[in-house]
């Protein structure tokens, strides 16, 4: 069994404004940095991060000076034409309603569907878990929910929502993630 910590990146300006932020490469907001400053994360042997700046900056705050292994396929899903918009701005758009009604299975225009995101994220995760020792992944809320839905016994998606800078402590038994609590 191996300890795996799944952290969501700290707050960005668009997170604070409740805008969809998938592939947009934003830095942490000053509030996001302040919330993470001085926070002691549990020690791990390996640190994996999404390539997006908000994750790399969060990893540096949680694990100062630790080598970050960037994993391209741990990025957030792409929201296509919904990127940068709020629910209020999109609520009357038929394509947005269709995407919501499908629980993300239908991709947003110019974006990535849930199945594509799941396959990519799982492939990336499974390529990492054979490495020895404990690991922290500093990734995205959607990526965490996708991995937990696919690899934890409840098979629920929204149960695994985490706030900015929050995380989940799990054990990997070789085939599934066993949830142990919040970090």
């Amino acid at each position: 069994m191996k300890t795996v910590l799944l952290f969501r990146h700290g707050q960005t300006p668009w997170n604070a404004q409740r805008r969809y932020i998938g592939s947009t490469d934003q830095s942490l907001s000053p509030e996001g940095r302040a919330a993470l400053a001085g926070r002691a994360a549990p020690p791990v042997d390996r640190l994996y991060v999404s390539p997006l700046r908000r994750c790399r900056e969060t990893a540096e705050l949680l694990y100062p000076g630790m080598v970050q292994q960037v994993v391209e396929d741990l990025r957030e899903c792409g929201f296509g034409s919904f990127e940068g918009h709020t629910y209020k701005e999109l609520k009357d758009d038929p394509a947005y309603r269709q995407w919501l009604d499908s629980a993300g299975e239908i991709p947003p225009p110019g974006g990535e569907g849930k199945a594509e995101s799941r396959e990519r994220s799982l492939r990336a995760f499974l390529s990492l878990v054979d490495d020895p020792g404990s690991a922290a992944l500093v990734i995205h809320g959607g990526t965490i929910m996708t991995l937990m839905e696919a690899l934890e016994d409840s098979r629920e998606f929204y149960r695994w929502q985490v706030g900015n800078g929050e995380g989940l402590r799990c054990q990997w038994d070789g085939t599934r993630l066993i949830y142990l609590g919040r970090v």
Side-chain angles (χ1 to χ4, degrees):
M1 294 265 252
K2 164 185 187 141
T3 298
V4 177
L5 307 177
L6 303 173
F7 284 102
R8 182 181 178 199
H9 61 79
Q11 185 184 69
T12 68
W14 280 7
N15 291 143
Q17 298 167 5
R18 302 184 61 82
R19 295 183 180 281
Y20 285 100
I21 179 171
S23 58
T24 301
D25 198 12
Q26 275 192 344
S27 286
L28 298 177
S29 66
E31 296 82 4
R33 286 185 175 285
L36 293 167
R39 181 168 163 199
V44 292
D45 299 309
R46 301 202 184 281
L47 178 60
Y48 301 104
V49 297
S50 158
L52 297 177
R53 218 175 9 218
R54 58 195 182 263
C55 293
R56 291 182 286 119
E57 291 172 359
T58 299
E60 181 59 33
L61 290 166
L62 293 175
Y63 294 97
M66 190 169 181
V67 173
Q68 298 180 19
Q69 296 180 50
V70 176
V71 182
E72 181 68 31
D73 283 342
L74 290 177
R75 69 190 179 280
E76 181 65 279
C77 71
F79 291 111
S81 65
F82 304 153
E83 186 86 10
H85 294 282
T86 65
Y87 169 82
K88 185 176 179 180
E89 293 168 348
L90 295 169
K91 66 182 171 69
D92 296 323
D93 179 333
Y96 181 68
R97 298 298 323 160
Q98 185 180 31
W99 177 68
L100 288 179
D101 291 344
S102 77
E105 293 295 336
I106 296 171
E112 183 179 34
K114 192 173 182 181
E116 184 182 359
S117 174
R118 180 185 313 113
E119 190 274 325
R120 173 180 49 74
S121 300
L122 277 173
R123 182 180 60 244
F125 179 82
L126 293 172
S127 75
L128 309 173
V129 291
D130 286 337
D131 288 347
S134 59
L137 283 68
V138 181
I139 51 180
H140 306 273
T143 310
I144 291 171
M145 291 188 296
T146 296
L147 291 173
M148 293 300 287
E149 177 187 37
L151 298 170
E152 193 272 340
D153 286 342
S154 72
R155 302 292 190 231
E156 296 178 34
F157 184 76
Y158 290 106
R159 173 181 180 187
W160 304 111
Q161 287 182 313
V162 294
N164 291 114
E166 295 178 356
L168 306 176
R169 179 187 305 271
C170 300
Q171 288 286 322
W172 174 249
D173 73 357
T175 59
R176 64 191 176 110
L177 283 169
I178 301 162
Y179 172 68
L180 301 176
R182 299 275 170 156
V183 182

